[in-house]
Each structure stands twice: as C-alpha cells, then as structure tokens.
Amino acid sequence: MKKMRIIVAMLIMALVGTALPAAAKKMVPKVDNFILFVDHSSSMAFSYKGQRYVQFGGVSKIMMAKSTVVELNKLIPALPYKAGLYTFAPYKQYAGMAPYDKAAMDKAIAPLSTNYEAYGRMTPMGVGLNDLDKVIGGLSGKTAVIILSDGDSNLGVDPVGVAKQMQAKYGDKICFSVISFADNKHGEQVLKEIAALSKCSCFALGEEVLRNQTARENFLKCALYDFIDDEVVIFRSIYFDFDKYNIKKEFIPVLDEGVAIIKSKPNLAVILEGHTDSVGTEKYNMALSLRRANSVKAYFVKKGVDAGRITAVGFGKANPRYDNKTAEGRKMNRRVEIKFKSN
C-alpha cells in the first residue's frame, strides 16, 4: 500500500512538472479613440456631499474630477489610441484629438482650473455634448466618451436627449462611459441614463475610482481595453466605402504606423483579415473581403515589408463586429483588421 502511494505521488509530480504554462494574455484596445470630457460647471465647484461649500471644509467635485483624470492617465496603457481632453460649461479643448501620449495628456490636464467662481456660471451639459459631436464626427473607428460629471444641467437642451441623438447617429461607433460625482438623485439619474444608452458603456462612482486603484483599473478595462489569451494582437482596423477595396487617404497614417512597427520587430508576422457588411451574396463578399486584405498587403509590400511575412485572408460577411441592421454598423463592418503574431 505504501509503495502504491509513492507511485501515485510520483505520477502526480510528473503530471504537474509537464503541465503546459497558461497562454500569455495580450492587451488589445476596445476602441480607436477616447475623449475625457470633464464637467467644468458651477455645481462642480461646490463640495461633494457633506459640507456644501468648499470654504467651509468640503472638497470640490471639480478637484476630485481633475485628480481622477490624473490618476487614470497614469494607468491608461500605451495602445494605439487617439485621445483628447475637453470640458463643457464652458466647452473648451485642452488637448485636441491626437495619438495618445501620457506625458502630453498630463500637460493638458495641468491647467484645468479647480478654483473658479461658482455663482452665475450655468450648466449647459446638453450644449456641451452638441459641441463634442463636431469632434466625434471627424473621427474614424469607435470612440469612448468618458464623462466626469455630477449630472446637474440647468440650461439649454436636455443632455439625455442629446446623448440619445448621438447614439442613434453613431450607433456602435460611440460608447458613453460615466464617472459620477452626483450628489443628488437628479444628477445620478441623468448620468445613469446616459451610461445605459450603449452596450459598450461603463459606469463608476467617482469617489470609488479616485480612492481605489483596482476600481480605476476595472473602469479602464471596461472602457478602453481587454485581454486576449492567444498570441495574436489586433493592431488597428481600417475601413472601406461600400463595394470598394481601395485604401482611403485618411487611413494612410495608420498603415504607415503599422509599417514602422513591423520593420522594427523582425519577429512579427502580419495577418490581414478582410471583412464586408451583409449586403450582397456570400460568394461576392468573400472575394471582396480578400481584395480588401490584399490591398493592405500591397501597401505594406510597397513600403518595404517582406511579402513572406504577410498573410491576407477574407472572411466575407461571416464575422460582423457591428450591427448590420444600421447604416453605421454596416460601415464599420467594411474593414480590414491588422493583426500581429510573434513567429
């Protein structure tokens, strides 16, 4: 019996010793762009809960919001996002949309005032969203709008109504996420209604995000990135007009960024996956998706990438990422996903 236990123990040790290691997780972006949209209105100058006035010992909501943005920026991963920082009430651009850079974002956050006169300064939250719509309209791909606010709105159009219009306009291309500093039921309701508009939205309490690094990481993971278990990393996607496979000028910078990465990392293989929307036959779309993938391959080869490192495949309409029932969803499905894999 003792001999049998020894044999079993040895077998267990052998099995443990030969177990395969878990696949390394890769961080990949959920969105192409993100916007930090900070409420700079009169109500944000008042203290959060407790003491009503800052001069009587309270901590202002705008101070909390600015500190939250600073802390989030420390944790945002260096993925190929475009990013910007804007305020509403009043609407102002502190950092225009540009490739995300942690140091540049810190520099943009620094002048955000936390010491301003509250009285006579209204809260046109809906107007601010309308102003931001002009920025979003000029972006390609999916955009996360991260709103830091107490939800109060006492001037202009209804912010929930404006957010609904934007959601209808952009569909899966926009994700409203909210960090709430609401300290009354009305503000809380406004922010929760905005956050509930899109499937890709996130909601968190500002005091928890500011206090707890794990809460910050969870919020960012919800809004901006995810992990995949395999060795393939999605770099970026580019999009095509209906029934077209020519590369649009606006995506040349994305492709050039990919070329630079490929050339700097000789161990990377490139996988180009072409896709279409749901319009047309399966056979036609399969051929069109492959032409789209091959157009990107031809660009990379023209720029000096060895064709042997590139695999181009077409999936037709089989793998939609967005809702083909909407015009915006079909537009986003007409894409080539650029993926990298270590050899």
Side-chain angles (χ1 to χ4, degrees):
M1 194 69 180
K2 183 177 180 183
K3 186 177 181 181
M4 181 61 70
R5 286 198 296 267
I6 293 171
I7 292 171
V8 170
M10 290 176 68
L11 285 171
I12 292 172
M13 289 175 66
L15 287 171
V16 171
T18 58
L20 293 175
K25 289 184 178 291
K26 301 284 185 178
M27 185 182 288
V28 294
K30 285 184 176 179
V31 295
D32 300 282
N33 322 290
F34 69 86
I35 296 171
L36 298 170
F37 198 38
V38 181
D39 186 345
H40 216 211
S41 64
S42 58
S43 62
M44 291 290 285
F46 291 124
S47 66
Y48 178 69
K49 298 183 176 180
Q51 295 290 338
R52 176 65 173 163
Y53 301 106
V54 175
Q55 57 266 43
F56 294 158
V59 177
S60 72
K61 289 174 275 187
I62 187 60
M63 287 179 66
M64 294 174 70
K66 180 175 181 178
S67 296
T68 299
V69 173
V70 169
E71 293 303 316
L72 287 177
N73 192 47
K74 293 176 182 177
L75 299 174
I76 293 172
L79 295 172
Y81 302 115
K82 278 190 175 179
L85 172 65
Y86 298 79
T87 62
F88 63 93
Y91 178 79
K92 183 177 178 180
Q93 173 185 298
Y94 281 78
M97 298 305 296
Y100 173 65
D101 178 87
K102 197 176 295 289
M105 185 61 76
D106 268 335
K107 189 175 180 180
I109 296 168
L112 186 64
S113 175
T114 60
N115 184 22
Y116 54 85
E117 180 59 54
Y119 297 101
R121 189 170 181 157
M122 305 303 282
T123 312
M125 185 177 182
V127 176
L129 286 169
N130 267 330
D131 289 329
L132 193 67
D133 188 10
K134 300 166 189 174
V135 176
I136 296 169
L139 299 174
S140 298
K142 182 180 284 191
T143 302
V145 178
I146 300 174
I147 301 171
L148 296 94
S149 173
D150 62 4
D152 281 344
S153 180
N154 55 14
L155 182 70
V157 291
D158 172 33
V160 177
V162 175
K164 285 181 179 178
Q165 291 172 6
M166 293 171 71
Q167 191 71 60
K169 178 179 179 181
Y170 296 109
D172 293 329
K173 191 179 177 181
I174 191 170
C175 304
F176 286 111
S177 290
V178 172
I179 296 178
S180 171
F181 296 94
D183 49 7
N184 61 59
K185 290 190 179 298
H186 170 71
E188 181 180 349
Q189 180 180 350
V190 167
L191 295 177
K192 285 187 174 180
E193 286 184 20
I194 291 175
L197 290 175
S198 48
K199 296 177 183 177
C200 53
S201 295
C202 312
F203 181 90
L205 296 178
E207 60 181 305
E208 293 181 3
V209 172
L210 184 56
R211 183 189 307 123
N212 190 307
Q213 180 169 320
T214 300
R216 293 194 288 277
E217 290 171 346
N218 289 340
F219 178 82
L220 290 174
K221 182 175 182 295
C222 175
L224 298 184
Y225 62 87
D226 208 342
F227 292 95
I228 59 175
D229 287 328
D230 62 23
E231 296 179 354
V232 176
V233 177
I234 300 174
F235 165 61
R236 293 287 288 276
S237 295
I238 68 169
Y239 303 89
F240 295 81
D241 290 334
F242 177 71
D243 200 25
K244 302 292 184 183
Y245 58 91
N246 58 297
I247 295 169
K248 299 164 74 171
K249 290 183 179 179
E250 64 189 276
F251 293 110
I252 295 299
V254 174
L255 297 181
D256 287 342
E257 184 181 354
V259 168
I261 293 172
I262 296 164
K263 288 184 175 180
S264 69
K265 297 182 181 296
N267 65 320
L268 285 183
V270 185
I271 303 169
L272 304 174
E273 296 183 353
H275 302 270
T276 70
D277 60 25
S278 60
V279 179
T281 67
E282 184 173 341
K283 181 179 179 180
Y284 183 86
N285 279 311
M286 188 63 72
L288 177 59
S289 66
L290 184 57
R291 287 196 293 271
R292 287 174 175 166
N294 278 325
S295 70
V296 178
K297 179 176 180 177
Y299 185 88
F300 283 170
V301 171
K302 181 181 176 181
K303 291 290 184 174
V305 178
D306 181 0
R309 297 175 62 186
I310 305 172
T311 301
V313 292
F315 288 91
K317 56 183 178 180
N319 295 327
R321 283 191 177 273
Y322 305 95
D323 187 357
N324 273 312
K325 294 179 181 179
T326 68
E328 188 60 38
R330 292 190 294 274
K331 177 182 176 183
M332 297 297 290
N333 282 328
R334 300 192 291 265
R335 70 197 191 278
V336 167
E337 293 182 359
I338 305 167
K339 299 183 177 181
F340 298 150
K341 183 177 182 180
S342 297
N343 285 322

